[in-house]
Amino acid sequence: MSQDVLVKAEKLTKKFNGLVAVDSIDFEIFKGESFGFLGPNGAGKTTTMKMVQSISPLTGGTLTLAGMDVTEQGRKIKAIVGVAPQEDNLDPDFTVLQNLMVYARYFDISKEKAKTKAEELIRFMQLEEKRDVIITSLSGGMRRRLILARALMNEPQILILDEPTTGLDPQARHLIWTKIRNLQKQGVTVILTTHYMDEAAQLCDRLIIMDHGKIIEKGRPADLVRAHVGEEVLEVLFSEEAMHCLKQYFPDARIDVVGDKIQVFANKPRGVLAKVLDKVSFKGALIRDSNLEDVFLKLAGRSLKD
Amino acid sequence: MSKITELFRVPKISYRVSKVWMRNKDVFMKTYKTNFLPSLLEPILYLVALGLGLGGFVEAIDGQPYINFIAPALVAVSMMYSSFYECTYATFVRMYFQKTFDAIIATPITIEEVITGEILWGATKSLINSSIVLGVIVAAGLVSSPLFLLILPVSFLVGLLFSAMGMCFTAISPNIDAFNYPGFLYITPMLLLSGTFFPLASMPEVLQIVTQIFFPLANAVTVTRALALGNIQMSILFNIAWMLIITPIFFVLAINLMKKRLIK
Ligand SMILES: Nc1ncnc2c1ncn2[C@@H]1O[C@H](COP(=O)(O)OP(=O)(O)O)[C@@H](O)[C@H]1O
Ligand SMILES: [Mg+2]
């Protein structure tokens, strides 16, 4: 199956004075997919997003969106991109509806069309009750939804979501995830950054893992997990005997100590770890599905939250 | 060398500046009722305190009672204050605290257009506020020439100039408190020494020239007073010409400095 490449980056680089924030990265994003940038704070995710939306000049490399060069066609690119930035920059002087209307005007959208679209998005984001309320009284989750609605006002071909749920409570997060999935079903191309591995696993078809401005791994979330850490992890409370015992049972496995836990990445098919537990009982033993965080830990040797 | 030319590179701008201007106008319209009263009361206070109070001890200047002398100057002062403060404190709040400019440049509007829109809005504030003061002094019978109507376009020019100057400070201010420096070291001396409360002519000639070069308010006061009192001399052409020359310089400088600050 051949797919349309919508975003293409080659040797994309960004330096701030001496600091290399994005270090010669390559990636391709296809039309209609959800593409994630996973990485800890300071990895270079936001910097990459700003170059993609053509508001931050490249230090090196090339970057095209829908065949247009970000350096030359900024205005046209910004017209087809919708952005929900990491930093809340809603207009505090306006109501929910006015925020959307004023934003639409920046895109040359006619008043009538903007009104229809704004009403539709207010409904979609479940903000009807706050429609005419000055936004300073909105909760964090509502503001995020409004930012998302605003990003959709110009009916973008590419939607950029920079840490869409950072700082939200679980309920608010799940509501945002539902909305994003809805948009994915409608065929919107979504570019998402996050430092939450569950968010990346839930929402991304493909992703890259970034650290210190570099791509350290790329692929489908499930493939990455399977390839690097197997499907399951055995966790056991740390003790010398347990360690010794586990090393005998799993001579080939990667065994890490994280906090007061031993983690065994046996990279075996599902069920194999459980059989061991039938034979030996370990204190605090637990078998769980492996996840992207484990992948990151393996690759970068430190936690995503660092 | 190339750094200097970069600061004076003439920016490309489009009709989209109007959208930035309209955003500020929309916010203004939401609060103009609360803004209106102070703008109205302030000049009245000055007229009463300085014109009637102090004026009782002051001789007529150029055949004008003191209150008629300072009234047009108050109009010019309001041009300066409204535009300079709009493009310093108010712009800084939008740029730094509200991140409004970040939101706008994510749309097809460029940073050059954002800053131009802001400066045009600052000039509009000058027009609005000085019109209120002008209304007060006309109503008080302190204006003696129909030429006063020309003060309106002058207020826009003066507003552009002070907006652009303010914007240059905004572009280099590390924080909002830093505006105290241009405020105390430049705006306040300018307020006191620009022929506002006493005639420029009472200063030594060298100082008069220096003042008119470095204090744009001196030019604004001279022109406004001439138009209000119908006392037109050829020299006001120089005042207008000087403002017309330095305004675009500060305008372009403001845009490039802001671009340097905001585009990283
Ligand atoms: N405007 C800037 N000036 C200087 N350094 C910056 C700037 N923006 C980001 N950085 C630096 O670049 C690196 C990457 O930042 P960022 O892209 O925000 O990371 P992320 O979004 O992954 O948390 C960090 O070290 C950050 O401090
Ligand atoms: Mg970020």
Side-chain angles (χ1 to χ4, degrees):
Chain A
M1 190 174 81
S2 83
Q3 283 178 293
D4 297 344
V5 175
L6 204 50
V7 184
K8 188 174 170 69
E10 279 177 315
K11 296 203 167 61
L12 183 62
T13 303
K14 180 77 190 189
K15 292 183 189 157
F16 294 109
N17 298 317
L19 181 117
V20 186
V22 176
D23 195 354
S24 191
I25 65 173
D26 298 316
F27 58 85
E28 277 185 344
I29 300 173
F30 302 120
K31 195 165 186 229
E33 78 171 333
S34 290
F35 192 90
F37 289 78
L38 176 66
N41 286 330
K45 305 182 296 294
T46 298
T47 306
T48 307
M49 292 309 108
K50 287 190 172 165
M51 290 191 282
V52 172
Q53 31 169 150
S54 189
I55 55 172
S56 178
L58 320 187
T59 312
T62 57
L63 179 58
T64 57
L65 269 83
M68 297 181 282
D69 190 314
V70 287
T71 311
E72 267 128 46
Q73 313 245 43
R75 183 116 62 193
K76 280 190 185 150
I77 285 172
K78 292 196 281 180
I80 62 159
V81 172
V83 186
Q86 181 175 357
E87 270 186 323
D88 184 333
N89 57 22
L90 291 169
D91 220 319
D93 296 304
F94 292 131
T95 65
V96 166
L97 179 65
Q98 285 166 335
N99 258 281
L100 298 178
M101 295 297 290
V102 170
Y103 201 69
R105 195 162 60 199
Y106 299 142
F107 286 93
D108 272 336
I109 299 168
S110 76
K111 213 169 177 175
E112 302 74 51
K113 197 158 168 244
K115 187 83 193 310
T116 316
K117 190 77 199 165
E119 300 285 7
E120 175 197 320
L121 287 169
I122 286 173
R123 242 175 292 124
F124 175 61
M125 290 296 167
Q126 293 169 250
L127 290 165
E128 293 101 323
E129 279 171 31
K130 301 289 176 181
R131 184 181 176 274
D132 298 309
V133 169
I134 298 284
I135 58 120
T136 41
S137 65
L138 263 56
S139 71
M142 288 173 180
R143 294 176 77 103
R144 275 276 134 198
R145 260 141 58 209
L146 178 56
I147 291 173
L148 205 50
R150 193 183 64 174
L152 294 165
M153 280 303 288
N154 61 325
E155 303 184 336
Q157 288 183 35
I158 303 172
L159 182 62
I160 296 178
L161 309 174
D162 196 358
E163 310 235 358
T165 65
T166 298
L168 298 186
D169 61 53
Q171 244 178 332
R173 287 184 81 195
H174 279 279
L175 186 51
I176 299 245
W177 285 357
T178 312
K179 300 304 169 196
I180 295 174
R181 273 199 217 94
N182 261 321
L183 293 165
Q184 291 170 332
K185 275 188 213 132
Q186 294 167 29
V188 182
T189 307
V190 177
I191 306 178
L192 172 126
T193 83
T194 184
H195 63 262
Y196 296 123
M197 67 86 202
D198 53 339
E199 185 160 273
Q202 290 248 4
L203 296 176
C204 303
D205 300 322
R206 289 192 308 135
L207 55 83
I208 61 183
I209 303 180
M210 277 183 92
D211 195 24
H212 296 303
K214 291 197 175 69
I215 295 178
I216 56 175
E217 186 52 287
K218 55 170 80 179
R220 298 181 171 277
D223 294 348
L224 289 179
V225 172
R226 212 174 305 120
H228 285 283
V229 289
E231 290 184 22
E232 293 175 324
V233 193
L234 169 62
E235 287 187 352
V236 171
L237 208 62
F238 181 84
S239 73
E240 292 295 343
E241 307 95 79
M243 193 66 168
H244 185 70
C245 190
L246 287 167
K247 274 185 177 156
Q248 286 192 323
Y249 268 103
F250 302 103
D252 308 325
R254 190 166 64 91
I255 301 181
D256 288 341
V257 178
V258 178
D260 62 346
K261 280 194 208 117
I262 306 171
Q263 291 185 336
V264 183
F265 298 94
N267 218 339
K268 294 266 169 31
R270 210 168 269 281
V272 174
L273 289 170
K275 289 213 180 87
V276 175
L277 283 193
D278 290 342
K279 289 182 214 153
V280 200
S281 79
F282 292 100
K283 215 173 174 187
L286 162 83
I287 295 170
R288 62 164 175 83
D289 286 354
S290 1
N291 59 40
L292 284 168
E293 171 116 32
D294 301 322
V295 176
F296 183 81
L297 261 167
K298 180 187 163 195
L299 296 173
R302 60 198 179 88
S303 164
L304 267 177
K305 273 130 206 148
D306 278 355
Chain B
M1 204 39 222
S2 71
K3 280 227 167 110
I4 300 282
T5 48
E6 223 166 81
L7 287 180
F8 291 98
R9 190 186 307 144
V10 178
K12 286 199 199 87
I13 48 171
S14 74
Y15 68 94
R16 289 177 184 82
V17 296
S18 67
K19 291 157 194 290
V20 179
W21 184 91
M22 279 192 274
R23 182 243 162 240
N24 290 342
K25 184 220 48 171
D26 287 349
V27 176
F28 177 78
M29 294 308 280
K30 287 175 89 90
T31 53
Y32 82 95
K33 283 189 197 108
T34 37
N35 292 334
F36 184 72
L37 208 60
S39 329
L40 188 70
L41 285 180
E42 202 183 54
I44 296 177
L45 265 171
Y46 270 98
L47 284 176
V48 171
L50 294 180
L52 297 178
L54 183 64
F57 302 92
V58 179
E59 288 173 29
I61 299 169
D62 298 332
Q64 297 284 348
Y66 188 62
I67 191 167
N68 295 47
F69 175 80
I70 63 159
L74 293 178
V75 178
V77 167
S78 82
M79 297 173 197
M80 170 177 81
Y81 271 109
S82 50
S83 52
F84 191 81
Y85 283 89
E86 183 66 30
C87 286
T88 50
Y89 288 95
T91 292
F92 197 86
V93 168
R94 288 190 283 269
M95 168 185 80
Y96 187 83
F97 295 105
Q98 301 182 182
K99 316 257 175 242
T100 309
F101 300 173
D102 292 343
I104 302 177
I105 61 170
T107 75
I109 296 177
T110 61
I111 189 66
E112 289 90 339
E113 288 159 353
V114 171
I115 303 309
T116 305
E118 286 278 311
I119 292 174
L120 288 175
W121 174 249
T124 309
K125 284 292 286 283
S126 164
L127 174 64
I128 295 169
N129 283 25
S130 64
S131 299
I132 296 170
V133 183
L134 187 58
V136 169
I137 68 167
V138 169
L142 299 170
V143 169
S144 44
S145 161
L147 285 176
F148 82 86
L149 283 172
L150 289 174
I151 293 172
L152 298 180
V154 168
S155 75
F156 198 80
L157 170 64
V158 173
L160 279 179
L161 172 51
F162 280 105
S163 296
M165 283 180 118
M167 193 62 80
C168 291
F169 284 115
T170 304
I172 57 171
S173 286
N175 54 52
I176 200 159
D177 296 322
F179 292 129
N180 286 329
Y181 288 97
F184 286 128
L185 298 179
Y186 187 56
I187 297 293
T188 306
M190 181 151 48
L191 167 72
L192 297 173
L193 301 175
S194 293
T196 1
F197 304 114
F198 59 87
L200 267 185
S202 58
M203 295 199 291
E205 201 154 339
V206 187
L207 258 185
Q208 285 182 44
I209 293 169
V210 172
T211 303
Q212 301 210 14
I213 291 174
F214 291 102
F215 288 171
L217 180 64
N219 298 282
V221 167
T222 306
V223 175
T224 308
R225 186 174 282 139
L227 293 171
L229 304 180
N231 177 18
I232 307 292
Q233 284 162 352
M234 281 309 279
S235 64
I236 74 162
L237 287 179
F238 286 102
N239 297 114
I240 291 174
W242 182 235
M243 290 194 284
L244 283 173
I245 290 167
I246 58 175
T247 300
I249 296 173
F250 280 111
F251 205 118
V252 169
L253 184 64
I255 289 175
N256 289 308
L257 282 173
M258 273 301 221
K259 192 174 171 185
K260 231 176 119 195
R261 176 184 185 129
L262 294 174
I263 301 298
K264 285 274 159 66

